[in-house]
Amino acid sequence: MDIESARKFYSQMLLIRRFEEKCIELYSSRKIRGFLHLYIGEEAIAVGVMHALSAEDAVISTYREHGHALARGISAKSIMAEMYGKVEGCAGGRGGSMHLFDAKRRFYGGNAIVGGGLPLAVGMALADKMMKRDRVTVCLFGDGAVAEGEFHESLNLASLWQLPVLFICENNYYAMGTALEFSESEVNLSKKAAGYRINSFQVDGMDVTQVAESAKNAVEDIRSGKGPVFLECLTYRFRPHSMFDAELYRKKTEVNAWKDKGPLVTFKKTLEDKGLWSKIKAQEIEDEITKTIDDAVTFAENGTLEPISDLEKFVYSPEEAQ
C-alpha cells in the first residue's frame, strides 16, 4: 500500500459516499424522481473490484449501481444528469437511477430485475470465449438474487462451459426487508456456488484492500483459463433498501454497530496503522469531491429534457428496418 494507492482508494470510496448523500438531498427536494437505491456502506466492494479490471473487461450491475458506475470511471456529471432524466445523462436520460449504462466504459447497465444481470453476464462471457478474446465479465448482484432461478442456471452453465466470469455477490444480509436467515437454509452463499464446482470465497466486503486483493487474484485465475470465480463480499447497507422503505425489519442498534466498521472507518484505521493517513491529505480530497459533486449538480440542472416529439424513439423499430 503506497500513498498513491491509498489516496485513490480513499477518494473513490468518499466520492461514492458523498454522491449518494447528495442524492438523498436531491430526492427529498424532488429533483430526482422514481426509485432510489443507495450504496452507502458498500463502497469498498465497488472500488476494490473495479481496481482489478482492465478497460476491456465488462461490468454488469444491479439496481444499486451508482457506486459501481462511479468506480468504473463514469463521470459524476453524466450519472447525475441521468438521475435528473436529462439527455446528457449516461443513458440519455431514459434509464434513471436503476439503469445507468455506458458502452464506452463497457458498463452494461444496472438492472431492475433481481438476478437479471446473471444470464447476461454468462452470455457475454460465452461470446468472449468463442471469439478467443482476453476479457473478463464481472457480474455484481445482491444476496436476494440467489433465490432466483437465473442464479442457479447461470452458475451451472458458467461452470459447465468454464466461462470467464467473476461473480460478485454483495451480501448485505437483507433481500429488501427479508433477513437472509429467514429465506435461505444455507446462509453461507459461497457454498451454493461451490456446489456448481466454482472456486468460491467469502471476503470482508468492508475492507477495500481485502476486496481488491481477492478480486485481483480471481481475475488472474479467470484469465489463465481456470474458469469462473465466485466472491461473496460480506457487507451492509446503512440506508433503507430504497427511499420508499420504512425500514421496520431491523434495529438502529444493528445499523450503528455496522457503521462502526464501515469501509471508510476501516480504511482510515488501516492507513493510520501504516502511518499513511496524514500523508493522503484527506481534507484536500474532501474539497475536491465537494467541487466534483457541485459541478455534477450544476451540469444536471442545466441539462436538456428530451422533447415530447421523441417520446416513441427507441420504442418502435424504424419503418425502413421492417
Side-chain angles (χ1 to χ4, degrees), residues 78-266:
S78 65
I79 296 173
M80 189 64 79
E82 187 61 36
M83 308 284 275
Y84 270 62
K86 299 296 180 69
V87 172
E88 292 80 5
C90 58
R94 289 177 167 251
S97 171
M98 294 195 291
H99 301 95
L100 304 179
F101 185 94
D102 190 328
K104 291 182 179 179
R105 297 281 183 178
R106 291 186 56 76
F107 187 86
Y108 295 113
N111 199 315
I113 300 172
V114 175
L118 286 157
L120 303 181
V122 170
M124 291 185 68
L126 176 60
D128 285 338
K129 182 170 183 176
M130 292 175 70
M131 298 297 291
K132 302 186 185 305
R133 300 177 182 129
D134 181 20
R135 291 176 176 173
V136 173
T137 298
V138 176
C139 184
L140 300 111
F141 53 94
D143 50 281
V146 304
E148 301 295 324
E150 298 99 322
F151 173 84
H152 300 278
E153 294 161 357
S154 298
L155 267 65
N156 176 59
L157 291 179
S159 177
L160 181 65
W161 296 334
Q162 289 293 282
L163 300 180
V165 186
L166 173 56
F167 295 105
I168 303 291
C169 178
E170 297 179 309
N171 183 1
N172 61 30
Y173 298 98
Y174 289 93
M176 294 186 70
T178 303
L180 193 62
E181 61 191 280
F182 297 140
S183 63
E184 296 294 325
S185 59
E186 175 55 72
V187 296
N188 183 330
L189 303 182
S190 65
K191 289 184 178 181
K192 293 180 181 290
Y196 291 104
R197 297 180 179 176
I198 293 177
N199 288 329
S200 308
F201 308 92
Q202 276 193 336
V203 180
D204 182 356
M206 294 302 206
D207 185 343
V208 67
T209 58
Q210 188 177 141
V211 175
E213 184 68 18
S214 298
K216 175 177 176 289
N217 293 337
V219 168
E220 288 176 352
D221 283 349
I222 293 168
R223 289 197 199 284
S224 67
K226 295 181 180 180
V229 177
F230 184 99
L231 297 183
E232 178 188 1
C233 298
L234 303 176
T235 185
Y236 198 86
R237 54 174 169 79
F238 297 165
R239 299 290 301 185
H241 170 73
S242 72
M243 293 297 285
F244 289 101
D245 180 8
E247 207 174 3
L248 301 176
Y249 48 85
R250 62 184 186 177
K251 297 179 180 179
K252 289 185 178 179
T253 52
E254 176 184 313
V255 178
N256 290 332
W258 275 95
K259 285 182 177 179
D260 290 339
K261 52 184 177 182
L264 290 168
V265 173
T266 298

